[in-house]
Amino acid sequence: MLEELLKRRIIPVIVIEDAADAEPLAEALLKGGIDIIEVTFRTAAAEAAIGRIAKAFPDMMLGAGTVLTTEQADRALGAGARFGFAPGLNAKVVKHFQDAGGLFMPGVMTPSEIEQGLELGCKVLKFFPAAQAGGPAMIKALAGPYASQGLKFSPTGGITLDNMMDYLSLPVVSAIGGSWLATKKQIADKDWTAITNQAKAALARAAG
């Protein structure tokens, strides 16, 4: 799972209010060339949305975001999520997700949190909130002492089409997470064409 995840450089971070939007949203991303999605547990529809995507698109790399508790971890995995992200590092949640066979990437901002993540066996850590925590310059500074451990970062927060390459150009960054790829308004408006076009534009930018 980790090997496959590391091949994807752009991860859409999704907030779904209505589970019925899950399939057309996933299809829009797939049409744009992105076969990975992180559905955040910021809404009551998250679990159902994950389940619907898992059933309709079993080959899509499907993950859950904002997994804050072991209960949410169980719901995410039970619905079909194969990986999980969190904004912070909760050792209990990390271990719970890992013990269930899932890949988990907790959020970090400091060297101490990074070392906790490494101790838990996490080789990819979410750097959040990326822009507010120092952006590419901070990640580059953190890479110095930890890159030798095989660590990769997946920054999220304040990343856009215009600045994404500032992050992806860093060898220690495996992928970026972006909510701009499918905004809450676009999902509510069912503007699937715009989402497909945004996915295409992001992939084109990443390819240089």
Side-chain angles (χ1 to χ4, degrees):
M1 180 64 199
L2 176 60
E3 185 176 328
E4 286 301 309
L5 185 80
L6 291 174
K7 294 177 183 177
R8 276 74 176 178
R9 307 221 69 199
I10 300 168
I11 303 174
V13 179
I14 305 300
V15 178
I16 294 182
E17 299 286 353
D18 183 351
D21 290 329
E23 295 97 332
L25 168 61
E27 185 176 21
L29 290 170
L30 287 166
K31 284 182 178 179
I34 292 179
D35 65 350
I36 186 170
I37 185 171
E38 172 193 341
V39 179
T40 64
F41 267 78
R42 296 187 181 189
T43 70
E47 181 181 1
I50 291 171
R52 293 176 72 137
I53 294 171
K55 182 178 180 180
F57 304 101
D59 293 331
M60 193 169 198
M61 292 192 67
L62 176 59
T66 322
V67 179
L68 305 178
T69 66
T70 56
E71 184 264 342
Q72 287 180 330
D74 286 336
R75 288 167 55 200
L77 290 162
R82 297 164 60 195
F83 63 87
F85 280 99
L89 193 158
N90 182 322
K92 184 178 179 180
V93 175
V94 174
K95 291 177 182 177
H96 192 83
F97 212 94
Q98 292 172 335
D99 289 345
L103 176 68
F104 200 76
M105 291 149 286
V108 300
M109 280 180 58
T110 68
S112 294
E113 292 166 342
I114 290 171
E115 292 183 16
Q116 290 179 54
L118 289 171
E119 182 68 20
L120 290 165
C122 301
K123 289 298 186 180
V124 178
L125 298 172
K126 175 173 180 161
F127 184 68
F128 176 85
Q132 294 83 353
M138 183 63 168
I139 294 174
K140 188 174 181 180
L142 290 170
Y146 297 112
S148 64
Q149 302 298 309
L151 177 66
K152 296 290 185 180
F153 290 106
S154 180
T156 303
I159 299 177
T160 67
L161 180 67
D162 292 332
N163 67 13
M164 59 180 274
M165 290 312 299
D166 295 339
Y167 293 89
L168 287 177
S169 63
L170 301 176
V172 76
V173 169
S174 60
I176 53 99
S179 57
W180 93 89
L181 291 155
T183 68
K184 289 171 65 175
K185 185 178 188 306
Q186 287 170 337
I187 295 170
D189 292 344
K190 305 186 189 309
D191 194 351
W192 312 127
T193 299
I195 291 169
T196 294
N197 290 338
Q198 285 159 186
K200 289 178 179 179
L203 289 175
R205 183 68 57 89

